[in-house]
Amino acid sequence: MARQAVTLIGGGLVGALLAQLLATRGFSVTVFEKRSDPRRLRFTRGRTINLAIAERGWHALRTAGLAERALQMSVMMRGRMVHGRDGEASLQRYGLDDNEVIWSISRSGLNALLVDAAEEAGATFHFGQTLTGADIDERRLALTDREDVQREYAACLLIGADGAGSALRAAMDLYQPLGIRVEPLGHGYKELEIPPATGSNRFAIEPHALHIWPRGGYMSIATPNIAGSFNVTLFLPLHGPCPSFDTLRDAATASAFFGREFPDLFPLMPCFAEDFDGHPVGKLATLYLDRWHVDGRAVLVGDAAHAIAPFHGQGMNCGFEDAVALADLLANADHDTAGAFAQFQQVRKPNADAIAAMTLENYVEMRDSVADPHYLAKLELAAQLTQWAPQYFMSRYRLVTFTTLPYAYAYARGCVQDQVLERLLRDFSRPCDVPQDIAISTLQQALPPLQMIGNRVVHHEHAPALPHLAFEF
Ligand code: FAD
């Protein structure tokens, strides 16, 4: 039986992956993308902006049969390399070993791979086509090309993967209010670059780490890419007293600040002035919607439905999970698209809300806590509990990053684990004073065991029950 035709708005990371997954499942997919073909940009742009892929992203890429190709374009990051003001750096591993790492990949390279794969699967892309309006009732789209020529298009099943500023979302909201809420973080970011080093070592600093320079209310991070450069991102408050993007308006003022606050980073960026003055300030916000779909007509995925800040490196990973879930639901919907869209929202929204909350918490952690003694004591005890009772204690970061357990489950379990850490440290002060038997019995009283094979948590599509989560202190 011929499957439905789908009109996808946005051929970015999530849109292109979804196009591939739907086309592979027999749907006839047409994608309208505002930008130019990323495969042409790949060869013309000098700079690369990187993203971190974790297990959820890999799981989706494996589902699409693309993990091997993506891996060849990625650089392993074992942990956070934390750089102090004194220039000292120390690695905080993300996981137990090299099986628990994240990977840095170029956004444009990955996008090009996904578009290639979607086209190979039969999807059709129209680049340079911006959605400027939509009649959701009649399913008619208004599209504008690069020459400002407008045309109408009779859409089919409508999917919006057009990112945080989604035009389809605006049109859906006019037709039926979606309950849109945007919470700005008050912080912004600017992209800078450490170029490859000269000589035998291609990378100017350790390549297999995500570098962080935490400085209280602000920070810089750097991620490697295979060509040897690092993509540096400066996160700062947008407004207020120094330092903020208001006060550091240009490279001349920012140079002195950088030299003082990031003394080991600043000399690695010979194009600092050019980058600082040439690149825009991105604004960070969290987007919440009450509804992600309009009956069976239109649905939103990825950032269009739930944009989050980048502090857990999970926006794309979460969007990739959306893509797999939606493709499977539509493939099994038997033409009940309204039912499939409703189920998609029901399954994915609690998880999107959970990763949004964890992301905001992770921002504070990355910015402030990585050098805080109580935080470091908790990290030390967490490492001890992981060794003593791996089935009962897995840090929330590991649950989010190295498993496919639903985000909402990771959030709930992480809250209880945190309470256990606080309680043990309250009773015994130092991690090395905590007795093993008391630690294990406290964990067993608080939490059910994780299902594991070796060190790995078994893959779950749905949240397992948490029967013992009512842990009182
Ligand atoms: P987008 O990537 O925004 O793609 C939307 C697409 O729609 C674009 O191609 C756009 O051109 C197109 N479009 C927009 N409007 C229209 C229109 N009107 N008509 C037609 N097309 C349109 N996530 C991670 O998982 N790991 C990370 O390490 C990470 N780091 C990040 C760092 C930063 C600084 C930022 C800002 C985000 C980061 N993210 C990360 C989040 C990640 O970038 C997003 O979650 C991801 O790009 C969402 O993909 P998407 O396809 O939903 O949206």
Side-chain angles (χ1 to χ4, degrees):
M1 185 172 55
R3 285 245 165 83
Q4 265 174 297
V6 172
T7 308
L8 242 159
I9 309 300
L13 298 172
V14 175
L17 176 65
L18 183 56
Q20 194 271 2
L21 292 167
L22 287 172
T24 308
R25 284 158 180 72
F27 288 84
S28 163
V29 184
T30 304
V31 185
F32 293 103
E33 164 56 47
K34 169 168 88 172
R35 295 193 189 129
S36 307
D37 188 333
R39 292 165 296 189
R40 281 199 262 142
L41 290 178
R42 185 168 42 175
F43 301 109
T44 54
R45 279 182 60 182
R47 292 182 65 249
T48 321
I49 293 180
N50 300 328
L51 295 160
I53 312 190
E55 178 53 24
R56 292 164 203 276
W58 288 119
H59 183 71
L61 290 171
R62 281 194 291 273
T63 305
L66 299 172
E68 278 303 313
R69 280 155 78 183
L71 194 62
Q72 283 165 19
M73 302 159 49
S74 308
V75 182
M76 179 200 284
M77 298 189 289
R78 295 191 167 96
R80 298 166 173 164
M81 184 72 81
V82 180
H83 297 255
R85 273 201 180 80
D86 55 6
E88 286 295 307
S90 63
L91 182 73
Q92 296 175 358
R93 252 193 186 275
Y94 288 130
L96 296 183
D97 52 35
D98 281 0
N99 290 313
E100 291 187 337
V101 294
I102 56 175
W103 298 80
S104 177
I105 192 166
S106 136
R107 180 189 287 271
S108 54
L110 179 59
N111 205 170
L113 167 67
L114 294 171
V115 170
D116 263 344
E119 277 189 353
E120 281 161 23
T124 304
F125 282 77
H126 300 277
F127 293 102
Q129 297 285 332
T130 303
L131 180 80
T132 45
D135 179 334
I136 301 297
D137 201 21
E138 297 291 326
R139 287 190 171 147
R140 294 203 71 76
L141 304 182
L143 295 158
T144 305
D145 70 12
R146 294 201 177 285
E147 278 74 47
D148 244 4
V149 177
Q150 299 193 356
R151 65 164 168 140
E152 279 211 349
Y153 179 83
C156 308
L157 197 66
L158 257 176
I159 302 180
D162 48 344
S166 171
L168 185 64
R169 184 179 67 226
M172 288 163 65
D173 188 53
L174 277 180
Y175 178 75
Q176 198 177 89
L178 301 176
I180 300 171
R181 192 158 48 93
V182 178
E183 287 187 2
L185 242 71
H187 284 63
Y189 67 93
K190 198 177 266 273
E191 307 277 359
L192 306 165
E193 189 184 28
I194 302 173
T198 45
S200 57
N201 192 353
R202 281 188 308 144
F203 293 92
I205 48 177
E206 165 59 43
H208 296 298
L210 186 152
H211 294 262
I212 307 189
W213 290 261
R215 295 294 182 263
Y218 54 95
M219 66 175 176
S220 288
I221 68 169
T223 52
N225 66 65
I226 43 171
S229 63
F230 286 80
N231 180 208
V232 177
T233 314
L234 166 68
F235 294 96
L236 272 186
L238 288 168
H239 312 294
C242 195
S244 70
F245 280 114
D246 267 357
T247 54
L248 302 178
R249 283 190 178 280
D250 53 30
T253 39
S255 296
F257 163 77
F258 247 80
R260 193 175 61 244
E261 298 298 320
F262 305 108
D264 54 338
L265 171 60
F266 187 53
L268 302 175
M269 299 190 291
C271 300
F272 177 84
E274 202 181 306
D275 285 349
F276 198 92
D277 285 342
H279 298 155
V281 175
K283 291 184 181 147
L284 299 171
T286 312
L287 167 77
Y288 305 91
L289 307 188
D290 292 338
R291 279 170 298 286
W292 289 5
H293 69 107
V294 171
D295 48 56
R297 284 159 217 265
V299 70
L300 300 166
V301 290
D303 275 18
H306 49 73
I308 54 176
F311 304 120
H312 218 309
Q314 285 291 320
M316 168 193 65
N317 286 282
C318 180
F320 278 9
E321 280 193 329
D322 283 0
V324 174
L326 183 59
D328 284 346
L329 284 166
L330 283 173
N332 295 320
D334 197 19
H335 291 263
D336 176 16
T337 41
F341 287 174
Q343 215 184 331
F344 172 66
Q345 176 183 319
Q346 193 191 347
V347 171
R348 294 299 302 157
K349 187 168 155 42
N351 291 310
D353 290 343
I355 190 57
M358 290 189 281
T359 292
L360 294 175
E361 290 176 20
N362 214 42
Y363 179 42
V364 176
E365 184 180 317
M366 282 171 89
R367 212 183 55 184
D368 305 344
S369 317
V370 280
D372 170 63
H374 183 63
Y375 171 79
L376 293 175
K378 277 166 79 174
L379 267 191
E380 191 184 329
L381 180 56
Q384 189 62 266
L385 298 188
T386 304
Q387 258 190 7
W388 286 342
Q391 268 191 289
Y392 286 90
F393 192 95
M394 178 175 270
S395 73
R396 188 175 86 181
Y397 185 88
R398 288 177 64 218
L399 288 168
V400 167
T401 310
F402 305 126
T403 80
T404 50
L405 285 165
Y407 287 120
Y409 179 91
Y411 193 28
R413 193 171 176 108
C415 287
V416 179
Q417 292 182 165
D418 194 64
Q419 285 176 309
V420 171
L421 290 175
E422 291 289 354
R423 176 169 163 174
L424 291 172
L425 282 176
R426 187 192 64 199
D427 292 351
F428 299 98
S429 301
R430 293 181 312 170
C432 57
D433 296 332
V434 176
Q436 182 170 356
D437 55 342
I438 292 182
I440 293 175
S441 66
T442 309
L443 278 170
Q444 287 175 339
Q445 192 196 332
L447 288 158
L450 292 161
Q451 291 174 44
M452 298 179 82
I453 299 173
N455 279 336
R456 313 278 295 171
V457 171
V458 174
H459 169 69
H460 292 274
E461 295 293 345
H462 303 290
L466 280 178
H468 306 129
L469 264 179
F471 188 41
E472 295 293 334
F473 288 98

